[in-house]
Structures are given as C-alpha cells and as structure tokens.
Amino acid sequence: MARGDAAIRMYHCSKSYLAASFALQDVSLEFAKGEFAFLTGPSGAGKTTLLELLFGAEQPSEGQIVVLGRNISRLGNRAIPQLRRRIGVVFQDFKLLPRLTVEANVGLALDVLGTPRRETRARVFAILKQLGLQHRRDHHPLSLSGGEQQRVAIARALVNEPEILLADEPTGNLDPDLTLEIMDLVAGAALRGTTVLVATHELDLVARYGKRVVRLEGGRVVEDHRPAGAAS
Amino acid sequence: MNRRANQLFYFGRAAARGLRGSPVTTAVAVITIGMALVLVGAFQLLLRNMEELLDEFSEDLQVTAYLDDSVSDDERRHLVSVIRTVEGVEEVRSVSKSEALARFRAGVGAGSGLLEGLDENPLPASLEIQLVSERRSPEGMRVVVESIRGLPGIADLASGQDWVAGYLRAIAIVRGVGIGLSVILAIAALLIITNNIRLAVVARRDELDILWLVGGSRAFMNTPFLVEGFLQGAIGGVVAVALLYAVFLAILPGFEVAFELVLGGEPRFFSAGEALTLIGQGAALGLLGSAAAVGGSARS
C-alpha cells in the first residue's frame, strides 16, 4: 500500500462522559501509514481520550473512526481484539505485571496470537536485545529502573510488529536522559513503517523531533502543524 | 504445534500460575470440593454395594412350591410340566421328601439328631421354580406366584418377594437421600468455587487489562480461569477418592464380617472407571463454578 494511505481517520468525533461535558469535541484527523505525530495540550485536553478511542477502549459518542481500514464503531466483540493486535500501546505507568518476568511480560502480546513458545522466546529475545534489555529477561519488573520498565513496555508494544504505536505520556515518569532514550526507541518504530502517535505535554521534546504536532485544548483540535518534510 | 495447541499450553501455564499465586483460596476450594465429594462418593459407594448384592441375590431368587403329602409321583411330574408352561418360568426342579430331609440334615449338621425320634419324615416334597432373569423382581415373582397359586396339590408357596421389595425400598431411600444431599453439597461447592474464582478475577484485574490491551479475546482471558476451576475440582475429586479409600480400608475389617454374615458378599471399593467418574464430577463442578464466576466479568 502507498505510504500516503491513511492508517487512522477520525470524522467529527466527539466523546462525552456526562451530558454537555465533552472530553473530545468534533475532532477530524487523519494520520498516514508510517507517520510520526505528537498530540500535545495541557492536562484534560483530551489526548488520552483520543488515544483510547483509537484502540477501542472507548467508543465515540458521535462521529466515525476508521483504523487500519476498520470502522471501530461497527466492529463486533470478536473483531476488536483482532484489531488491537495490530496496535501497540505504551502508557506512562508502564502497565507491566509484577508477577511475571520481563520475558513473560513481553511475550503476552505473542501469547494471545497463539505463537509457538520457541518462536515467542526468539522474538522476545530479539526485541529485548534491540532495546538493550536481553540481560534483564529473567528479572521481574519491580527490580528494574523506571527507564528499563518503560523499555519493557515498549518491547511488549512492538514485539508483534504492530502497524500503529500509540504512546500516552511514555516519558512522563522519566528523567531527561531516559526521556530521550525512550523517545528515540519510539521514533525508531516510525522509521520501520509503524504509524506512531505520542501524547505528551513536553513541548521541548516535541520541538526536538520536528514532526507533525496536533494540539488539543478542551477536547478540540486547536492546531495541526506539519513542518515541511515531516511525513514521518 | 498449531496455534490452538500453543494457546492451550498458555492456558495451562496461566492456570497453574493462578493456582500457585493464591494457595490459600485454592486449598479452600479443593478441600470444599473434596469434602462434598467424600459424602457424595460415600453414598455412591453404599448404593453400588447394595445394588451389587441385590444383583447377586437376584441370581438365586426362586419360588418354592410345597406339595401336599398326598401328591403322587405322577401328579408331581404333571405339576412340573404345567408350571414349566407358565410365562416367566425358566426351570422347575422337583425335590422329593427324602431329598428335602437329606438337605436339612446336611444343613443343620450336628443338630440333625433332633430328627432321630420322629417316626416319619415331616418335610414336604417341593418344586423349586427358577425364573427367567427379567422376572427376578418383586413384581415378576408376584405374577408367577399368582399364576401357580391354586394349582391342585400345592400346599404353600414361598418366595423372597417381600424381602426383595423391602431391600429395594432401602435402596430407593439411600438413593433419594444421596441425591438430595449431593445436590445440596454440589450447590454449596459451586457457590464457594464461584466466589473463589470471582476473587481471582478481581485479584488479576491488572493482568486481564493488559491481556485485553494486547488483543486478548474474551474467551482467551476467561479460559485460564475455567482451567483453574476445572483443576481445583479435579484435585478435589482425587482428594475425595483418596479419603474414601483410606476410610474404606480402615473400616473394612468390621464391615466385611457384617457384610459376609448378613448377605454373604464382600464389600468393594470403586472400580477405576467409577473413581474417575467421581473425579470427573469434581472437575465438572469446578468448571461450572468458574464459568459462573467469569460470565460477564471479563472486559469484552
């Protein structure tokens, strides 16, 4: 498929949890396949809600969302997990299981696919090596530093080579050095053709990468800035 | 291995992890199912033995027609041929007065001296009427007895009809109590398993959220809990069989003598198939309880 094809299309999407109180209001956006973009805005601007709509955690109150050619509102219960397997998600709080080893945490994304155990181990090892964590594969998350935990979460999001990577404040809990390290890993996924959306309020970080920036305020898109030559 | 086999392997690992992760609740569930199945199994064992004795006893069930002393040999032969034509009769054997006396002497042994003073043989000749297997029941015997009663030369009729009817009533009572108790215990075990698995679902909410996030279907998230319930039930079943066997061996000596004296048989424990059935009942209970627990609790 051509690089310019859309991975994500949102048409006049709104999301309200209470009557007359919109978390997101009349948002229409399109992200091309392989595009790397930032969602910015202050707390409560709707960044997290937008990402939640994209991976099917929430349904829009109004409007339509087409992700990887599938209209999320019309997907049945069986099809949503299938779509979610094509989307990697990274959170600020890592969402790792403390009972499981690093290897088992990352392998969960392959377990749901029924991937053979030997193949799972090989692919998990490969992604951990790529992220410099191969020596930590038998450790449990709580014995790792914050940066290492986030790298494990990124490994889990990327291990099944998703077509879209959504990251919600992935560096929110990290110091500046680790922030750059993590962002470079996320940017690396875009270089390999994954559509990457990063929600962050760290404007310095956004400026450093020179990519498309969608700014939200009060649930509305107030700016959609595309620097010249910033397709990905 | 194909995709399905790999997922089954994952479910097994996840269930084992769940059981290891909550040893106390697992032990409670296993002991509950085990205790419930011990009682259910005890009733099943009692029933099996009672039914088996009935079967053994039924093999020997027959109707005995005592004859008047006035019946001649020709009349006796005629009676035999008439009775053979009665529906439900398999064989008729004639026992003469002298044969009856010989049997009595052999039966009482040293006490046979009691008959020494008698001038004549007081025992009547008789006809031992064997029934076809379908008629070896109280009702079947009653029909045959009614058909024979009133034939000329027959003084009296004896059968185990009343005894069998009473025994069948006892079996029905044991079965009824067993079923009633089993249902109550099964419901209690089911509620405890359902509660345990529901607690496990809540305790592993974070794991379910992450599985959901990486594309786990509802079935994928629920199945480890079903496997957990199944395993808890099956282990409870194994515990029950082991306990029952231990109790069976412990009380067997006293029980054996009573059994032998009253009914001439030996009590027996479950066969391998019956023991597996009991374990299967535990597994089914566990599966049902966990199915009730996860129904609607996982994110879709």
Side-chain angles (χ1 to χ4, degrees):
Chain A
M1 208 176 278
R3 193 175 172 79
D5 289 352
I8 299 165
R9 287 193 178 102
M10 302 178 76
Y11 301 102
H12 305 288
C13 283
S14 296
K15 177 67 184 176
S16 62
Y17 295 100
L18 296 166
S21 169
F22 285 93
L24 218 56
Q25 199 166 357
D26 196 26
V27 171
S28 292
L29 288 167
E30 195 168 304
F31 297 96
K33 288 194 173 172
E35 185 171 3
F36 180 9
F38 287 98
L39 298 174
T40 66
S43 295
K47 304 187 294 291
T48 298
T49 302
L50 192 149
L51 293 183
E52 284 177 345
L53 290 177
L54 295 182
F55 67 86
E58 298 287 351
Q59 288 287 337
S61 309
E62 287 170 32
Q64 303 290 323
I65 301 174
V66 178
V67 176
L68 300 171
R70 311 294 303 269
N71 187 330
I72 284 193
S73 310
R74 291 185 191 157
L75 288 181
N77 284 342
R78 278 170 172 269
I80 283 188
Q82 303 279 348
L83 178 65
R84 214 175 282 129
R85 291 170 197 174
R86 299 166 68 190
I87 303 172
V89 189
V90 179
F91 296 92
Q92 181 176 353
D93 61 355
F94 321 134
K95 294 204 186 300
L96 298 175
L97 293 173
R99 291 186 298 277
L100 302 187
T101 61
V102 164
E103 184 180 46
N105 265 289
V106 176
L108 282 176
L110 297 172
D111 286 334
V112 299
L113 301 173
T115 308
R117 191 150 168 73
R118 186 176 291 181
E119 187 187 332
T120 296
R121 295 193 73 153
R123 286 173 65 178
V124 169
F125 183 80
I127 192 84
L128 288 177
K129 192 173 178 190
Q130 194 183 326
L131 301 187
L133 281 172
Q134 73 275 23
H135 61 293
R136 296 291 218 173
R137 67 181 189 278
D138 293 328
H139 290 235
H140 285 80
L142 295 180
S143 69
L144 307 182
S145 69
E148 285 175 322
Q149 289 189 53
Q150 192 57 297
R151 276 191 282 161
V152 174
I154 291 172
R156 186 184 61 203
L158 294 178
V159 71
N160 60 351
E161 297 168 357
E163 291 158 75
I164 296 174
L165 177 64
L166 306 174
D168 190 4
E169 303 281 2
T171 59
N173 284 336
L174 306 179
D175 61 43
D177 287 346
L178 287 174
T179 293
L180 290 180
E181 186 185 313
I182 294 300
M183 279 312 302
D184 285 345
L185 291 173
V186 172
L191 289 174
R192 289 188 294 275
T194 302
T195 305
V196 177
L197 285 190
V198 178
T200 181
H201 61 274
E202 297 176 68
L203 297 179
D204 294 348
L205 196 66
V206 173
R208 181 184 175 91
Y209 284 88
K211 299 293 181 188
R212 178 182 173 191
V213 179
V214 176
R215 181 167 170 75
L216 295 167
E217 268 181 32
R220 289 180 180 275
V221 175
V222 294
E223 184 186 357
D224 188 353
H225 176 64
R226 296 171 192 255
S232 66
Chain B
M1 274 200 290
N2 61 23
R3 182 174 166 271
R4 193 62 71 187
N6 290 317
Q7 284 192 331
L8 285 176
F9 188 59
Y10 167 81
F11 295 147
R13 276 186 295 138
R17 202 165 54 224
L19 292 176
R20 279 199 310 269
S22 50
V24 175
T25 47
T26 298
V28 168
V30 166
I31 291 169
T32 306
I33 296 178
M35 289 301 105
L37 288 179
V38 160
L39 290 168
V40 171
F43 271 96
Q44 286 181 357
L45 202 52
L46 186 60
L47 266 179
R48 291 275 190 287
N49 277 291
M50 289 179 81
E51 284 170 347
E52 204 153 280
L53 278 173
L54 180 67
D55 288 344
E56 276 173 30
F57 186 74
S58 296
E59 289 297 308
D60 299 330
L61 275 181
Q62 63 178 22
V63 176
T64 304
Y66 296 103
L67 305 180
D68 284 333
D69 283 347
S70 60
V71 172
S72 67
D73 288 349
D74 281 346
E75 286 168 333
R76 196 167 69 193
R77 275 192 288 276
H78 176 68
L79 266 174
V80 168
S81 60
V82 169
I83 292 171
R84 273 188 179 140
T85 63
V86 172
E87 194 187 341
V89 172
E90 189 174 67
E91 183 53 56
V92 181
R93 187 173 178 282
S94 173
V95 179
S96 66
K97 284 173 71 72
S98 54
E99 193 180 344
L101 185 62
R103 278 190 192 176
F104 180 79
R105 283 194 164 127
V108 297
S112 63
L114 291 169
L115 300 170
E116 293 305 320
L118 296 172
D119 294 338
E120 60 180 62
N121 178 0
L123 300 177
S126 63
L127 300 177
E128 291 175 352
I129 303 160
Q130 303 285 333
L131 307 182
V132 293
S133 57
E134 311 85 77
R135 285 293 171 94
R136 288 178 199 154
S137 63
E139 180 55 23
M141 286 166 76
R142 190 190 62 74
V143 172
V144 172
V145 165
E146 290 310 313
S147 305
I148 296 168
R149 195 186 301 280
L151 285 175
I154 290 179
D156 196 10
L157 282 163
S159 71
Q161 187 183 335
D162 294 339
W163 186 92
V164 172
Y167 193 74
L168 281 176
R169 271 198 299 279
I171 286 181
I173 290 168
V174 172
R175 182 177 288 127
V177 172
I179 289 172
L181 202 64
S182 299
V183 168
I184 292 168
L185 291 170
I187 290 171
L190 210 59
L191 288 175
I192 287 174
I193 293 171
T194 303
N195 210 36
N196 273 355
I197 298 288
R198 203 166 277 160
L199 285 174
V201 171
V202 172
R204 276 147 56 193
R205 190 83 254 173
D206 54 346
E207 184 175 339
L208 292 176
D209 283 346
I210 289 166
L211 284 173
W212 172 86
L213 193 69
V214 296
S217 62
R218 186 177 178 136
F220 185 88
M221 293 189 284
N222 284 349
T223 304
F225 293 105
L226 299 180
V227 175
E228 237 175 86
F230 179 87
L231 288 177
Q232 284 177 352
I235 296 170
V238 170
V239 168
V241 170
L243 271 174
L244 278 171
Y245 192 58
V247 172
F248 182 80
L249 289 181
I251 67 167
L252 185 61
F255 194 45
E256 205 171 28
V257 171
F259 226 77
E260 182 76 43
L261 277 176
V262 177
L263 298 163
E266 259 186 34
R268 71 166 184 88
F269 193 65
F270 289 130
S271 65
E274 289 164 344
L276 279 175
T277 304
L278 194 65
I279 294 168
Q281 287 169 348
L285 266 181
L287 193 62
L288 269 176
S290 52
V294 299
S297 65
R299 282 173 91 164
S300 60

